[in-house]
Amino acid sequence: MDEGIDIQQLVRNLGSDDDPVRKKAAWDLSSAISDPSFVDVFIANDGVSKLRFLALKASGNTLAYALNSFSNLLDLDQGWDWINSELIHRFGFAALKPAITAYPDFLKTLSGRLSSADHSLCHNALQLLNAILRDSMANDEADDWDSLFKTYTDLGVVGSVRNLMQDSAVQELAQSLLDFQQLIKMLLLRWKEIQVDFHRRDHRQQIKSVLQASKTSSFGSPREDQSDGVNSDDAKSADAEPWQRIGFQSEKPVSDFGDTGYLGLLDLSNYSINSKDHFQRLIEEQMSKPEERRWPVARASLSVTSILFDHFEIDQVKADTEGQQSNLDARASIEKLFKPLLLQWAHLHVAGMQAFLRLWAITKARAADYSKLELLTRILLEEVVGLAPIDRHISDVETDIATYDIKRLREDQMNLIELTHQEAWGHHLKGTEHELESEASQFMREQRMRSLLRGSWFPHSTQSHTPLGTAIPEKQTVTWRFARLSHNRRYLHYDDFDSKTPEDEPPGLDALEYSIDLLVVSSIGSEVVPSSPVEERSTTSLKSSTNASKSSLEKQKRGSTQIRINGFRPSSNASNEGRSRSSKHHRKGSSKSTVQQKSSNRSEEVLLTLNPQNQTLASEWLDGLLALLGQDPVTSETTKLMDFTSKYGMKIRLLNVKFEDALDGLGPVGVDDKELKLPSREGLDKDYYYDVAAL
């Protein structure tokens, strides 16, 4: 140590208000600070704080002397605790890089502090790591910041940041965590903007690793003189087979990377290397198939890269950086801004590839169907990744992607198409919606009436009475009532039978003794009544024969819907069925003179009572009878079917597909690999339909 320097006075001069004094002190310090014994005393006298102040505030020669002194201090592995993002900005990462290279434990120490329970310490460490990476990306070559990010990954920085994002108490760290997330987006954007060039050694090595991973025993290896698989002159393989085997679209694969750049090459390379055995089996399996049935692995990898890039809105990173500070006040805002799954990019890419392959296999897709399957994969990843909560573990997300229900995925696709069309043509589709709703209403009315035209069986009980009029429960007689609408839809015929006939041999109209002229019907009543003995016996039989669910049986025991047809008839034919009840009435809105004349002289009575055995039959008859009176349906079952019919009709119109088109892309449909042939329409009028369920 230079005995002629008074270190305490030197430190005081560094903090002087007189610029020449500070400049002289900075010069003396720069010449003496390389001595380790001097540094120990300098640090003990709080000299580093004064030196950092000069590095941040001084200018000209004073700043140059201060930065040189700080650099020498770092060379001795001292003063790292005083480094912050502001100082790094003054230094530039280029000045710190030699010191970091010489003392790699510095970055390791910073990464370790991210696991500290002290959030203030975590915040300072992450700020410094952010500043180093940001300055490197701003001032260094791609190889340098690429290497620095790899170092961050190896040290666990990315994993620690991801864990902090998922922590419930991250308010203090919110800004520095968001800064790191933005840096990752900038990094991904930089990689995408780098065009693949096989003249570059690192790019050539990446594609070479993919080629080597694809070589299997079934297809052998290229000749020794072609082992690179890449022609450095024109970036074209001497043999097109390796590129076809991997799944590129052309013999010049560099053109395939036009949309994804170096990012797409990195993802493909990582996928082939990290899952080498699976990758080899996959390539061999695809090569064993006819060319049009092969899943193009390389093309799919680039598609998944694009899907993830779009999902995380990487191209919006510059715009996102502005104005986000004000959005960090609430936990809800934090959960909306933080994307911890972004830091699981490689895992999501692999999961996306597996999902794409699964969809390709399930649909038995062909080469021409690629864009359709790509869209399905995009929708799947958007649904699972986009809706995953902030604390969702990556393994659970991978499972969700791998097990996503195909039927639900189709529904998601239809909903997306509908929303897209609504946004584009919403006001133009209103008329079509009303038209389809009217068609669905007319269709359901006709379907309900056809149920009445077929006729149905209803349980019916007759109670025996004592001479005083008291009911005798044990002498209740159970019969069956059959009701059927006449072909001209003017009369409802019915009769009671001791037992039901076979379903394929229902009673004809001539076998039904009684009938009701619908002109005298004034309203339809419905109510829930306790189950009759025959219904309870039917329930017991249903339970033993079909093992009906407990909830269904309990519902039947609670009661069933009873339908009453009300109207006016001569008093001599009145029955005991007209006793007053509290129920729902659906009254006929008719002005026919015959009804008005009868109603003026007589009160409304129950003309017929029907006891449907299940809700479906009750819905068919109640809404069918109301349709005969010109009224709208009232049961939820009918309204749901109408809603489904109209909405599905809209989706079909939006898709603009025929029945034949619906089979495209799904492979052969049929039995024993025999493709289904559609029946000819020759000789048919317009009254025909395809029984889709039979497919």
Side-chain angles (χ1 to χ4, degrees):
M1 183 175 69
D2 191 346
E3 298 293 340
I5 297 180
D6 184 348
I7 297 179
Q8 292 183 350
Q9 184 61 44
L10 177 66
V11 171
R12 286 193 294 270
N13 291 343
L14 289 174
S16 172
D17 294 333
D18 190 351
D19 184 62
V21 174
R22 292 197 306 269
K23 183 177 180 180
K24 177 65 168 59
W27 164 256
D28 293 339
L29 178 63
S30 64
S31 60
I33 201 169
S34 57
D35 184 352
S37 59
F38 174 87
V39 169
D40 291 338
V41 180
F42 179 75
I43 293 175
N45 284 274
D46 195 27
V48 181
S49 64
K50 302 293 179 62
L51 177 59
R52 186 176 71 170
F53 178 81
L54 281 183
L56 292 175
K57 303 300 181 182
S59 60
N61 289 337
T62 305
L63 173 61
Y65 299 149
L67 292 179
N68 182 60
S69 297
F70 225 122
S71 180
N72 291 334
L73 187 65
L74 296 177
D75 286 342
L76 297 175
D77 197 21
Q78 299 286 347
W80 287 103
D81 292 342
W82 295 91
I83 297 292
N84 60 13
S85 57
E86 191 177 3
L87 186 59
I88 290 176
H89 180 70
R90 294 298 297 269
F91 260 90
F93 180 69
L96 289 177
K97 186 165 54 176
I100 291 177
T101 302
Y103 304 101
D105 286 346
F106 171 63
L107 291 180
K108 185 177 180 180
T109 301
L110 288 179
S111 65
R113 289 178 178 177
L114 297 179
S115 303
S116 172
D118 185 347
H119 283 179
S120 177
L121 192 60
C122 290
H123 175 71
N124 292 334
L126 185 54
Q127 270 196 326
L128 184 53
L129 289 167
N130 288 344
I132 293 173
L133 181 58
R134 183 183 297 107
D135 194 80
S136 174
M137 293 175 64
N139 301 300
D140 292 344
E141 296 294 330
D143 291 344
D144 291 328
W145 46 260
D146 192 9
S147 175
L148 179 62
F149 178 73
K150 186 178 184 303
T151 301
Y152 276 22
T153 303
D154 294 340
L155 291 174
V157 173
V158 177
S160 297
V161 172
R162 185 175 61 247
N163 293 335
L164 288 172
M165 283 184 175
Q166 295 177 322
D167 195 341
S168 58
V170 296
Q171 191 71 37
E172 298 177 22
L173 305 173
Q175 188 59 53
S176 56
L177 291 173
L178 187 60
D179 288 344
F180 187 85
Q181 177 176 288
Q182 295 299 97
L183 286 170
I184 297 301
K185 285 188 174 184
M186 291 173 61
L187 188 67
L188 293 169
L189 182 61
R190 289 282 188 87
W191 279 334
K192 179 179 180 293
E193 291 175 343
I194 296 175
Q195 293 300 310
V196 173
D197 180 5
F198 290 151
H199 291 91
R200 293 183 53 168
R201 181 175 177 275
D202 55 335
H203 291 197
R204 192 163 57 252
Q205 292 234 343
Q206 293 283 358
I207 196 63
K208 181 179 178 181
S209 67
V210 176
L211 279 171
Q212 291 176 338
S214 70
K215 297 169 187 174
T216 62
S217 58
S218 298
F219 304 102
S221 301
R223 298 189 304 272
E224 285 296 324
D225 59 345
Q226 297 174 2
S227 58
D228 279 358
V230 178
N231 187 315
S232 59
D233 294 330
D234 60 1
K236 176 179 178 180
S237 172
D239 182 2
E241 182 187 352
W243 306 121
Q244 295 173 353
R245 180 167 61 211
I246 296 172
F248 285 102
Q249 298 184 73
S250 67
E251 296 179 1
K252 290 186 176 181
V254 68
S255 61
D256 290 40
F257 294 101
D259 293 334
T260 60
Y262 184 59
L263 177 61
L265 179 58
L266 281 177
D267 285 344
L268 176 59
S269 176
N270 291 334
Y271 178 71
S272 63
I273 295 174
N274 297 335
S275 308
K276 187 173 182 179
D277 293 339
H278 168 74
F279 186 73
Q280 289 182 348
R281 289 195 301 270
L282 179 59
I283 297 298
E284 186 171 3
E285 177 186 339
Q286 298 306 314
M287 288 298 294
S288 66
K289 296 179 179 180
E291 186 172 354
E292 67 172 6
R293 291 286 189 182
R294 295 175 190 168
W295 181 55
V297 180
R299 185 182 179 187
S301 175
L302 300 180
S303 292
V304 173
T305 297
S306 294
I307 291 170
L308 293 176
F309 189 90
D310 294 341
H311 171 75
F312 288 110
E313 299 179 333
I314 306 299
D315 56 342
Q316 301 294 323
V317 59
K318 296 177 181 178
D320 289 346
T321 306
E322 301 176 2
Q324 286 189 331
Q325 178 69 45
S326 60
N327 294 329
L328 296 176
D329 297 334
R331 174 69 186 178
S333 298
I334 291 175
E335 292 188 355
K336 183 178 179 180
L337 292 173
F338 282 173
K339 306 293 181 185
L341 289 178
L342 171 67
L343 308 183
Q344 297 282 10
W345 183 278
H347 287 273
L348 291 180
H349 183 270
V350 173
M353 289 288 285
Q354 300 304 320
F356 202 150
L357 177 60
R358 174 176 171 240
L359 292 173
W360 190 273
I362 290 175
T363 58
K364 299 181 180 179
R366 302 171 185 266
D369 305 317
Y370 183 87
S371 59
K372 300 176 185 177
L373 274 297
E374 182 185 36
L375 176 60
L376 282 178
T377 305
R378 180 180 294 274
I379 295 172
L380 191 157
L381 292 178
E382 288 283 354
E383 285 293 316
V384 176
V385 179
L387 297 179
I390 191 173
D391 57 350
R392 187 73 167 168
H393 195 274
I394 183 60
S395 61
D396 296 325
V397 174
E398 290 172 327
T399 301
D400 294 341
I401 294 174
T403 59
Y404 201 84
D405 183 63
I406 301 301
K407 182 178 179 181
R408 179 183 171 189
L409 180 59
R410 292 289 194 188
E411 293 174 353
D412 294 338
Q413 182 186 24
M414 297 295 285
N415 292 334
L416 179 62
I417 292 174
E418 185 176 358
L419 288 173
T420 302
H421 285 84
Q422 285 286 356
E423 290 179 1
W425 313 322
H427 59 289
H428 297 296
L429 296 177
K430 291 298 182 182
T432 304
E433 288 180 354
H434 293 323
E435 177 187 343
L436 290 172
E437 288 171 0
S438 177
E439 290 178 0
S441 175
Q442 184 60 35
F443 171 77
M444 288 309 303
R445 288 168 64 89
E446 184 62 24
Q447 190 278 334
R448 294 317 193 201
M449 287 190 186
R450 291 195 178 212
S451 297
L452 273 61
L453 289 168
R454 282 196 309 269
S456 301
W457 289 99
F458 304 90
H460 184 65
S461 60
T462 304
Q463 191 79 48
S464 298
H465 296 77
T466 65
L468 298 177
T470 305
I472 307 175
E474 60 272 14
K475 289 190 177 183
Q476 189 175 36
T477 303
V478 177
T479 60
W480 288 92
R481 173 168 290 172
F482 187 82
R484 190 172 193 174
L485 183 64
S486 64
H487 298 305
N488 60 12
R489 306 188 182 189
R490 290 185 57 189
Y491 298 93
L492 184 64
H493 298 262
Y494 69 96
D495 205 345
D496 294 338
F497 299 84
D498 292 334
S499 61
K500 294 196 298 184
T501 62
E503 290 187 6
D504 56 347
E505 299 178 6
L509 293 177
D510 54 351
L512 303 177
E513 182 177 354
Y514 308 102
S515 65
I516 298 175
D517 186 345
L518 294 178
L519 289 176
V520 303
V521 175
S522 58
S523 65
I524 306 297
S526 65
E527 67 176 353
V528 176
V529 297
S531 299
S532 64
V534 67
E535 290 177 299
E536 292 178 359
R537 285 198 291 273
S538 297
T539 299
T540 304
S541 174
L542 180 65
K543 181 177 180 180
S544 61
S545 61
T546 64
N547 192 24
S549 66
K550 181 179 179 181
S551 60
S552 177
L553 293 175
E554 290 178 348
K555 185 174 181 179
Q556 292 189 37
K557 290 180 180 180
R558 287 197 300 269
S560 59
T561 301
Q562 184 182 83
I563 300 174
R564 296 189 311 283
I565 302 173
N566 304 310
F568 306 95
R569 61 183 172 184
S571 58
S572 60
N573 294 331
S575 69
N576 291 330
E577 292 186 279
R579 295 172 183 168
S580 175
R581 301 180 187 218
S582 174
S583 63
K584 294 180 182 179
H585 284 269
H586 312 283
R587 188 168 299 278
K588 178 180 180 182
S590 174
S591 60
K592 292 184 174 65
S593 60
T594 54
V595 176
Q596 289 179 339
Q597 291 171 3
K598 293 180 180 181
S599 62
S600 63
N601 299 323
R602 285 174 292 278
S603 60
E604 187 180 56
E605 298 181 0
V606 176
L607 304 179
L608 182 66
T609 300
L610 302 175
N611 297 292
Q613 286 185 279
N614 54 63
Q615 192 59 41
T616 299
L617 189 61
S619 177
E620 289 178 351
W621 275 80
L622 179 56
D623 290 329
L625 291 168
L626 289 172
L628 289 172
L629 300 184
Q631 298 183 19
D632 294 330
V634 295
T635 65
S636 60
E637 187 168 332
T638 299
T639 53
K640 285 180 181 178
L641 287 172
M642 289 171 55
D643 184 62
F644 171 81
T645 303
S646 62
K647 287 186 176 180
Y648 204 79
M650 174 61 76
K651 291 176 181 178
I652 293 298
R653 290 202 182 186
L654 292 176
L655 288 173
N656 193 25
V657 296
K658 301 176 182 178
F659 179 78
E660 295 91 334
D661 299 332
L663 299 179
D664 290 347
L666 298 180
V669 181
V671 182
D672 299 330
D673 295 328
K674 294 181 179 179
E675 192 166 350
L676 176 67
K677 300 296 183 183
L678 296 179
S680 172
R681 302 179 185 177
E682 292 184 10
L684 296 176
D685 56 18
K686 295 183 179 180
D687 189 18
Y688 74 92
Y689 65 94
Y690 288 110
D691 189 356
V692 180
L695 299 179

